[in-house]
Amino acid sequence: MGNIYLDHGATTPMHPAVIAAMVAEMENNFGNPSSVHAFGRAGKKSLMTARTLIAGSLNAEAEEIIFNSGGTEGDNTALIETALAQQKFGKHIITTSIEHPAVIEPLHYLESLGFEVTYLPVDEKGQITVQQVADNLREDTILVSIMAANNETGNILPISEIGELLVEHQAIFHTDAVQAYGAFDIDVKKQHIDLLSVSAHKFSGPKGVGFLYKNKSVRLPALLKGGQQEEKRRAGTENLPAIVGMAEAVKILTPLEKKNRKHRYQELATKILVELKDAGIDFSLNGDPQHKLPHVLNLYLKGIHRDVLLMRLDLAGVAVSSGSACTAGTIEPSHVLEAMYGHDAPQVDESIRISLGYENTEDEIDQFLEILIAEVQRLKK
């Protein structure tokens, strides 16, 4: 039996078409897009083609897409530069207690500079309400940052309703869409989103590249200073092969492809839940089953410590996780599950995340379930 990869929430394998597009770009188009000669113009053409394609996927304009190194840079730019630029109008920021570290850490930095951050609590399903945002809005609120979907539970948060709420308010609305982009449709104009962060490696693109959508009406100084790239919005020579690869990954995600993947993930996820129940495994689902990404399952396996189970699954050739890959290798518990259940709740130490990908087969899921059920039963004894 080969290894089984079920940790697509951490990163995804690159699609073969993405690899082919990147190789072709590296072989045939090495010019710097900022150069004025023919080689540079060819590079700029590739850059603009990718920018236009990606903008179209969000109902944005090409000039509103800023290429960067991924979600962390996008979040840092959106939060830090917006706060510093808007501080004359106030220093209050609203976010949630379940954001990715790429959002939480920049906000902690801003707190050290004198900004005030309200962290909205979540209920036991890991959800917030629009009313919570409304209740905490103030005249001096300058920024609201709410993730589109949680990376650990898969919960989809009410960003459309929050965007609508903020239309008449001065606060700029940012959403970390790293886990959500490609899983469901996002329309930045209809949803009134001002800033949106995306990372290519979450949807079969290359690592180290992503983009920040910035509504053209938003004033946002560059986080990185230097050259004139990205219309002076992000200094540094663009990683053209990676950007082309990211655009190819976006091109693959047609409406039909997204629909088919969603249906497939729902089938496989249902199979996992049904077979665990039939095997008598004592478990429950963490998160909101009515509002969640179809490819993410966060399971509380009662009485089974996550670290021991993850080690045994890894030895058996199965890759799952206990939460965000950005906190992997540490002994820190999931801040998302702590926010949902409390610091001392058993769910914090006895939950694993299974995240599916387009290449996973039913046979793989059958093999995974056989291994998982056997290991849980063994550990129970």
Side-chain angles (χ1 to χ4, degrees):
M1 182 192 76
N3 290 339
I4 301 172
Y5 186 74
L6 297 172
D7 196 18
H8 294 82
T11 195
T12 56
M14 278 201 288
H15 193 285
V18 170
I19 297 172
M22 292 179 67
V23 170
E25 192 68 21
M26 286 187 282
E27 289 179 340
N28 302 317
N29 196 6
F30 61 86
N32 188 322
S34 297
S35 299
V36 297
H37 48 59
F39 295 94
R41 292 197 302 273
K44 189 168 185 178
K45 181 179 179 181
S46 289
L47 194 65
M48 288 308 301
T49 299
R51 197 187 309 279
T52 301
L53 174 72
I54 288 168
S57 73
L58 294 167
N59 190 29
E61 298 178 31
E63 66 188 85
E64 296 177 315
I65 299 300
I66 305 170
F67 291 126
N68 58 25
S69 64
T72 296
E73 184 184 336
D75 288 340
N76 275 256
T77 303
L79 298 171
I80 295 172
E81 295 306 313
T82 295
L84 295 178
Q86 298 295 116
Q87 61 183 319
K88 60 186 176 183
F89 303 113
K91 303 189 80 171
H92 179 236
I93 301 168
I94 296 174
T95 190
T96 77
S97 56
I98 59 168
E99 298 294 316
H100 190 277
V103 167
I104 291 176
E105 293 305 319
L107 291 178
H108 286 171
Y109 168 69
L110 288 170
E111 286 179 297
S112 76
L113 300 182
F115 289 84
E116 180 185 352
V117 181
T118 296
Y119 297 90
L120 301 178
V122 295
D123 61 20
E124 282 205 351
K125 290 184 177 180
Q127 273 293 1
I128 64 160
T129 65
V130 180
Q131 191 61 47
Q132 284 177 276
V133 180
D135 290 345
N136 285 276
L137 270 180
R138 306 185 329 208
E139 287 186 5
D140 63 338
T141 304
I142 56 169
L143 176 62
V144 175
S145 181
I146 309 289
M147 64 192 341
N150 185 262
N151 51 296
E152 293 193 29
T153 63
N155 279 6
I156 298 172
L157 278 67
I159 58 170
S160 297
E161 295 84 350
I162 293 168
E164 185 68 33
L165 172 70
L166 297 175
V167 168
E168 301 299 327
H169 195 279
Q170 71 164 356
I172 290 172
F173 182 32
H174 165 255
T175 186
D176 178 333
V178 169
Q179 201 67 230
Y181 182 83
F184 57 85
D185 292 334
I186 299 174
D187 186 318
V188 291
K189 304 303 183 186
K190 289 183 179 178
Q191 294 173 292
H192 307 289
I193 297 168
D194 298 309
L195 299 164
L196 178 142
S197 312
V198 170
S199 193
H201 76 101
K202 300 292 188 178
F203 54 96
S204 304
K207 296 176 181 64
V209 66
F211 66 87
L212 175 67
Y213 157 77
K214 182 192 77 68
N215 187 294
K216 61 185 179 182
S217 68
V218 173
R219 177 175 174 263
L220 188 71
L223 181 68
L224 300 184
K225 321 294 184 185
Q228 307 297 302
Q229 292 88 356
E230 297 298 293
E231 299 182 6
K232 302 180 182 180
R233 300 173 301 178
R234 197 272 189 181
T237 301
E238 293 92 349
N239 185 352
L240 193 55
I243 290 169
V244 168
M246 175 168 61
E248 185 66 28
V250 171
K251 189 187 300 182
I252 291 167
L253 290 172
T254 63
L256 179 60
E257 178 66 17
K258 284 191 281 191
K259 180 180 177 181
N260 288 340
R261 288 190 188 188
K262 179 180 179 180
H263 179 69
R264 183 65 174 156
Y265 295 150
Q266 288 173 331
E267 284 186 335
L268 295 178
T270 299
K271 181 182 182 65
I272 292 171
L273 297 177
V274 169
E275 295 205 14
L276 288 177
K277 183 178 179 180
D278 289 346
I281 302 299
D282 192 6
F283 78 97
S284 60
L285 182 67
N286 296 318
D288 183 354
Q290 302 304 315
H291 302 93
K292 69 180 296 297
L293 299 173
H295 67 286
V296 178
L297 286 176
N298 194 303
L299 300 182
Y300 167 37
L301 296 162
K302 299 177 184 179
I304 306 297
H305 198 282
R306 67 176 191 272
D307 292 346
V308 177
L309 180 59
L310 290 177
M311 179 185 68
R312 297 184 73 97
L313 290 175
D314 184 40
L315 291 172
V318 175
V320 296
S321 71
S322 59
S324 172
C326 296
T327 56
T330 73
I331 57 173
E332 294 297 318
S334 163
H335 73 283
V336 174
L337 296 181
E338 283 188 334
M340 292 165 61
Y341 301 115
H343 296 289
D344 299 325
Q347 289 92 334
V348 174
D349 293 320
E350 297 176 2
S351 297
I352 64 170
R353 181 186 68 178
I354 301 160
S355 43
L356 304 164
Y358 80 91
E359 79 282 1
N360 288 136
T361 65
E362 192 168 348
D363 284 345
E364 283 183 321
I365 299 304
D366 285 336
Q367 294 172 31
F368 161 65
L369 284 165
E370 183 179 343
I371 294 168
L372 177 63
I373 290 168
E375 292 296 345
V376 170
Q377 290 173 339
R378 187 175 294 116
L379 289 169
K380 276 284 190 182
K381 293 178 180 178

